Amino acid sequence: MAETSRASILLIYTGGTIGMKTNPETGALSPFDFNDMYEEFPYLRMLNVDISVLHFKPIDSSNVTPALWIELARLIRDSYASFDGFVVLHGTDTMAYSASALSFMIENLGKPVVFTGSQIPIGVLRTDGRENLITAIEIAAAKEGGRAVVPEVCIYFQNKLFRANRTTKHSAELLNAFRSDNYPALADVGVNIHYNEPFIRRAEEDSAPLRIATALETGIEIVKIFPGMRPETLGAMLRIPGVRGVVLETYGAGNAPTA
Ligand code: ASP
C-alpha cells in the first residue's frame, strides 16, 4: 500500500508536444507556460503532491544534444535533497535517448526520475498528455516504508512505466508510442497502478551519495548497414575526424555484406 504523506516533486519542462497549446486567436500551436500549470489544470491540486516547476526554454526534442543531458543531470543533482522525485516533460522523438543517457549518467539514484510527454498537445481536448502527466507525478511521488517505489530513471507513457534504457519510440501515430522489447514494464496502469516489483531495481539501503558523470564521449557514430550500401559511404563515415567508435547496425545475428 503506497503511503499518503505529502510528497514534493520537481517538474522539469524541456519542450515537446506535451507543452503545446492552441492559440485561440490564430489557431496555431505555441508552447504553454507550465508556471501557470495550476490555473490551467486545477485538477493537479487534487494530487497529494507539492509540485515545483522548472521551465527550460522549450525545444523540439529533435534539437536535443548531450548538453541538455548534462544540464538535466546537474539540475537533478543540485536539487536532489529538496524533492522526493522528478518528472521530466520531454518531446517524444528523442525521449528514449535522453532518459537512457540520464539513467547511465546518474549513479546511486534512490528517487524516481520519470520522463513523459504526449502525442497530442496538452491544450487539445483529446490530449493523452493529461493522463501521462498526472500518472507520472503519482509514480514519482509514490513511496513505501519511506522509500521511493521506483528509484529508477524511467519513461511513463500510455498506461505503462518502462525502464528508460530499455525503451524505444515505435510509433508516431499510436498513443502507446513507446515499448520495451527486452525488459518487462515496471508498472501497468489501469484502475490502479500495479508495480511489477520483481523487475524494479531496488535502491541500496545505505547507498553512497548521488553522483553524476558528465564527461560524455561524443565521438561515437551509429551506422546502419543496408542492401546496396556503398563501401565509400562506410569509409567516409569511419574517416570523420574525432570518431572514436562505431556501433554497426547489422543484419540478423550480426551479419553484413562481405564486399
Ligand atoms: N517533435 C516532437 C518532439 O519530440 C514530438 C513530440 O513531442 O511528441 O519534441
Side-chain angles (χ1 to χ4, degrees):
M1 189 71 169
E3 280 165 24
T4 50
S5 63
R6 203 164 171 86
S8 62
I9 295 299
L10 180 62
L11 182 75
I12 306 166
Y13 172 57
T14 66
T17 298
I18 192 164
M20 305 301 261
K21 154 177 186 184
T22 317
N23 179 320
E25 276 137 45
T26 62
L29 285 171
S30 54
F32 167 79
D33 184 351
F34 271 86
N35 291 309
D36 300 335
M37 193 177 64
Y38 281 117
E39 281 85 88
E40 199 72 26
F41 313 119
Y43 47 79
L44 287 176
R45 293 188 200 281
M46 293 165 71
L47 292 170
N48 191 23
V49 177
D50 290 322
I51 307 169
S52 304
V53 178
L54 212 138
H55 214 278
F56 280 37
K57 184 174 177 296
I59 56 167
D60 186 282
S61 80
S62 328
N63 291 320
V64 160
T65 65
L68 178 84
W69 305 339
I70 294 171
E71 211 177 331
L72 280 173
R74 286 193 176 135
L75 177 60
I76 291 168
R77 178 198 58 196
D78 295 346
S79 45
Y80 190 70
S82 313
F83 296 95
D84 296 301
F86 301 84
V87 173
V88 182
L89 302 180
H90 194 290
T92 58
D93 288 342
T94 61
M95 188 191 297
Y97 290 86
S98 295
S100 193
L102 264 284
S103 78
F104 292 115
M105 292 165 74
I106 302 176
E107 291 172 28
N108 309 323
L109 184 63
K111 298 180 181 181
V113 177
V114 186
F115 278 69
T116 196
S118 71
Q119 294 282 64
I120 305 175
I122 201 136
V124 170
L125 200 54
R126 218 162 49 72
T127 185
D128 52 329
R130 193 178 312 121
E131 194 282 323
N132 285 348
L133 173 64
I134 293 169
T135 308
I137 294 172
E138 281 197 55
I139 291 170
K143 283 201 243 172
E144 216 179 285
R147 295 158 64 100
V149 175
V150 190
E152 293 207 25
V153 183
C154 38
I155 289 184
Y156 177 72
F157 220 89
Q158 265 281 300
N159 305 332
K160 295 268 186 204
L161 183 73
F162 295 123
R163 175 167 291 171
N165 55 37
R166 295 293 182 275
T167 308
T168 188
K169 180 177 178 182
H170 74 102
S171 175
E173 172 66 27
L174 297 173
L175 297 186
N176 60 341
F178 288 85
R179 68 178 186 218
S180 168
D181 290 320
N182 298 316
Y183 200 76
L186 302 182
D188 292 288
V189 177
V191 174
N192 296 300
I193 302 179
H194 173 74
Y195 292 100
N196 298 324
E197 306 220 346
F199 299 107
I200 297 173
R201 183 197 135 270
R202 294 271 135 244
E204 302 285 326
E205 281 284 343
D206 310 301
S207 69
L210 186 97
R211 250 169 48 99
I212 58 166
T214 53
L216 302 184
E217 173 58 66
T218 53
I220 310 294
E221 292 179 353
I222 301 172
V223 178
K224 187 178 178 79
I225 304 286
F226 55 90
M229 182 183 203
R230 290 163 42 199
E232 304 88 286
T233 308
L234 184 59
M237 294 180 92
L238 297 181
R239 278 193 298 276
I240 294 172
V243 169
R244 304 198 52 206
V246 174
V247 178
L248 283 178
E249 264 191 59
T250 56
Y251 308 127
N255 303 312
T258 47

